[in-house]
Amino acid sequence: MTKAHGYHLAGLSLAACFLLSACSPPELVDMSQPLNDGEYVGKSNPDEQDAIGIVTITVTDGKITSTSYETVTKDGEEKGVDYGKTSQGEVGNREFYQRAQAAVASYDEYAAQLTEKQDPTEVDVISGATVAHSQFLQAAVRAVLQAQGLEDDGAADSINMPSLDLDETDY
């Protein structure tokens, strides 16, 4: 390899690094910023069914000491043990009901992970609950930003909301 060719490859590598860093997603939240004590509520964007995720964090001595997570339907009803059943209270589509209940079961786990890890971006996705995770992450980022006394600059909107891929006529 010639010296000029080596410089050319080094330049391309440097340019690729620059382009990759310029295209990286925005930082969702800077956890080096202190958290103010109190209770803070963040809400997600609506999913395809207009349901929203709500995360409530309690901060004591600058640490998240408790977290709760719930999702409410467009009618304001909390998704719980009946989520995924028909309006008559029956399981009309077993697959949909199982998927719906897997999402509901993830809520406490997502909340516990945030309290443990102290950073919403460190909360692991639970298989079968990816929409719930996206809504959790959006809401948790917004709650943390409130605790930091900061405005949401739109970073939470950059979180991808996957499709529910459901046939609404099945439930």
Side-chain angles (χ1 to χ4, degrees), residues 21-151:
S21 66
C23 295
S24 64
E27 180 178 48
L28 294 176
V29 64
D30 179 0
M31 293 309 295
S32 69
Q33 296 292 317
L35 301 174
N36 300 304
D37 289 356
E39 185 174 279
Y40 304 93
V41 178
K43 295 182 179 180
S44 75
N45 297 340
D47 65 17
E48 291 174 340
Q49 297 174 335
D50 291 327
I52 60 167
I54 303 168
V55 170
T56 303
I57 60 171
T58 302
V59 177
T60 307
D61 296 329
K63 300 282 185 202
I64 299 170
T65 55
S66 71
T67 305
S68 68
Y69 175 43
E70 66 179 340
T71 301
V72 295
T73 66
K74 65 181 174 185
D75 299 327
E77 294 183 32
E78 183 178 351
K79 291 182 180 179
V81 295
D82 290 328
Y83 178 56
K85 292 182 178 179
T86 66
S87 57
Q88 294 79 29
E90 298 172 359
V91 177
N93 177 319
R94 180 146 311 276
E95 180 184 349
F96 173 75
Y97 179 73
Q98 289 172 338
R99 289 173 55 193
Q101 287 302 300
V104 170
S106 73
Y107 300 166
D108 288 341
E109 177 63 26
Y110 286 142
Q113 283 190 57
L114 178 56
T115 302
E116 175 190 336
K117 296 180 178 186
Q118 300 289 304
D119 183 341
T121 64
E122 297 295 319
V123 173
D124 298 321
V125 177
I126 297 169
S127 178
T130 55
V131 172
H133 181 267
S134 294
Q135 287 186 304
F136 174 83
L137 186 55
Q138 284 181 333
V141 164
R142 290 176 176 142
V144 167
L145 288 171
Q146 286 178 27
Q148 293 173 330
L150 302 172
E151 293 290 321

